[in-house]
Amino acid sequence: MNNNLSSLRVRDIGEQGLLERLQRFCPPDIIGDDAAVLETLPNQSLIVTTDMLVDGVHFSDLTTSPEDAGWRAAAANLSDLAAMGATPVGITVGLGLPGDVTVSWVERLYQGMTECLSKYHVPIVGGDIVRSPIITLAITAFGQANPNFIIRRAIAQVGDAILITGIHGASRAGLELLLNPSIGQNLKTEAKAALITAHQRPNPRLDVLPILWEILESQSKIVRLSEVEVPNLKSKITVAGMDSSDGLADAVLQICRASQVGAVIESSKIPLPSAFEEWLTPEKSLEYALYGGEDFELVLCLPPEPALALVQKLGTGAAIIGTITPGSNVILHQEKAEIPDQVLNLSQGFQHFAQ
């Protein structure tokens, strides 16, 4: 890159100059007015989510390139839409910048966002830029969902299976490898790279939704009696859930609290990265899986039969890890009799403003 261009600062070109450069990341027929106009399908609900990322809290030059920071920011918002059962239609970007940030850093940030978004055909449709003492990124994502297929936290029912769509703990492991390059020396190069990629370039599980809806429709519409298809007289199958961006334990606890139920999680059923076997103790592996966060998998609660069908369709990494129970306690059960059951709580995971 030309040294003159790479050293160009935001303050050198000002707000309008920076906006002009960033508009190339947006569809020209949508931006340019005071607000974006997004077309949604008939009989769809608009789903809106906002996520903030702050330099030094959510990303750092020590562990994250501008492109990776942009990818992670976009992925976090798309994951929230997936957790609601929504299809994304666009995002807006609010950006707070110190004046001495280089223009190339900002453009690389947007490049990372568009690399993630383009996988799902999602445009950046606007936003805002302000001066700030610290880099701050606030994304609002818009999606649409069939009102009959919205996933909510508060509708888990006793007897539901607790399903996760992929392995947990990989992102936390990747972060540790980036912060402490000397650790994990016994890991193979490919395994180490996979863990780091899990942290820097997570994939929101929008791919799960079409498979889930197909299974639910097939199981809720029809039952067979003596080889004759008849409408199912039972109520439609509901799905509770959220994503595991703040940790697997946090997701289960949040769902149970919202639904006023309890749960039992079988520790042996939680799928872990294969690299953990040669690197981490079982205790540390479980800690990363439960509390590491930023794996961006979906945690879903639904009846056992469709849950099993979904696991079989998704394949490796997906698993049923427990059951929704009466009461309010979320219990971590260990198969070994000498290890007592553990009651999980929200204070064990990461919380903003915790002491």
Side-chain angles (χ1 to χ4, degrees):
M1 180 181 290
N2 184 293
N3 287 334
N4 290 332
L5 291 178
S6 63
S7 62
L8 189 66
R9 306 286 174 174
V10 169
R11 62 172 174 244
D12 297 329
I13 62 173
E15 178 184 0
Q16 293 303 315
L18 184 59
L19 284 172
E20 184 177 349
R21 284 174 174 263
L22 297 182
Q23 282 177 349
R24 64 187 175 90
F25 294 98
C26 309
D29 58 331
I30 290 181
I31 61 168
D33 294 302
D34 287 337
V37 178
L38 301 176
E39 300 293 336
T40 60
L41 297 173
N43 303 315
Q44 294 281 299
S45 295
L46 179 66
I47 311 296
V48 183
T49 181
T50 299
D51 201 49
M52 291 188 66
L53 292 92
V54 178
D55 188 14
V57 178
H58 300 95
F59 60 91
S60 164
D61 287 341
L62 292 175
T63 60
T64 317
S65 69
E67 291 89 347
D68 290 337
W71 178 293
R72 283 165 51 80
N77 281 268
L78 296 186
S79 182
D80 283 339
L81 292 180
M84 294 292 295
T87 300
V89 295
I91 73 166
T92 60
V93 182
L95 192 59
L97 295 169
D100 61 355
V101 172
T102 63
V103 173
S104 65
W105 190 97
V106 181
E107 291 182 320
R108 290 170 62 192
L109 177 79
Y110 271 67
Q111 183 60 42
M113 281 191 282
T114 55
E115 286 174 2
C116 178
L117 294 169
S118 64
K119 292 182 60 178
Y120 309 99
H121 310 290
V122 181
I124 300 173
V125 298
D128 192 23
I129 296 173
V130 298
R131 184 176 61 194
S132 168
I134 190 169
I135 298 174
T136 305
L137 182 63
I139 293 179
T140 297
F142 304 88
Q144 57 191 9
N146 185 321
N148 295 317
F149 292 109
I150 294 178
I151 299 171
R152 300 182 185 275
R153 298 182 187 183
I155 55 176
Q157 301 178 52
V158 173
D160 279 354
I162 303 172
L163 179 153
I164 57 176
T165 56
I167 62 171
H168 280 73
S171 179
R172 170 64 185 276
L175 176 61
E176 292 296 331
L177 290 169
L178 288 165
L179 291 173
N180 305 286
S182 61
I183 68 174
Q185 294 182 352
N186 60 328
L187 286 175
K188 295 180 181 178
T189 302
E190 297 81 1
K192 186 180 293 187
L195 293 174
I196 290 174
T197 299
H199 177 72
Q200 294 179 329
R201 298 257 168 160
N203 289 301
R205 297 309 306 267
L206 290 162
D207 60 299
V208 171
L209 300 180
I211 302 171
L212 174 61
W213 304 147
E214 181 182 359
I215 290 171
L216 294 188
E217 286 189 311
S218 67
Q219 296 201 7
S220 62
K221 280 185 176 180
I222 299 295
V223 294
R224 290 183 179 274
L225 295 176
S226 304
E227 301 301 320
V228 178
E229 292 186 352
V230 298
N232 191 347
L233 299 179
K234 295 185 295 183
S235 60
K236 71 181 181 70
I237 299 171
T238 58
V239 182
M242 61 181 290
D243 77 355
S244 60
S245 56
D246 289 330
L248 174 56
D250 178 270
V252 176
L253 285 160
Q254 297 278 14
I255 293 168
C256 288
R257 183 168 69 174
S259 299
Q260 299 184 326
V261 294
V264 173
I265 301 173
E266 301 290 343
S267 62
S268 62
K269 301 290 181 64
I270 300 173
L272 304 170
S274 58
F276 282 13
E277 295 179 9
E278 54 187 286
W279 179 37
L280 300 175
T281 64
E283 293 77 17
K284 184 61 70 174
S285 297
L286 187 59
E287 177 189 328
Y288 280 12
L290 288 173
Y291 305 113
E294 297 188 322
D295 289 299
F296 295 106
E297 295 291 341
L298 299 183
V299 180
L300 305 174
C301 301
L302 65 165
E305 188 175 349
L308 180 59
L310 181 58
V311 166
Q312 292 171 340
K313 285 277 190 178
L314 295 178
T316 304
I320 294 172
I321 63 166
T323 305
I324 296 297
T325 61
S328 59
N329 285 339
V330 175
I331 305 296
L332 179 67
H333 177 69
Q334 313 246 14
E335 282 187 333
K336 295 182 179 179
E338 65 271 18
I339 301 177
D341 289 347
Q342 179 183 349
V343 179
L344 303 183
N345 61 73
L346 290 172
S347 66
Q348 293 166 284
F350 173 80
Q351 298 289 327
H352 288 283
F353 312 113
Q355 297 298 316

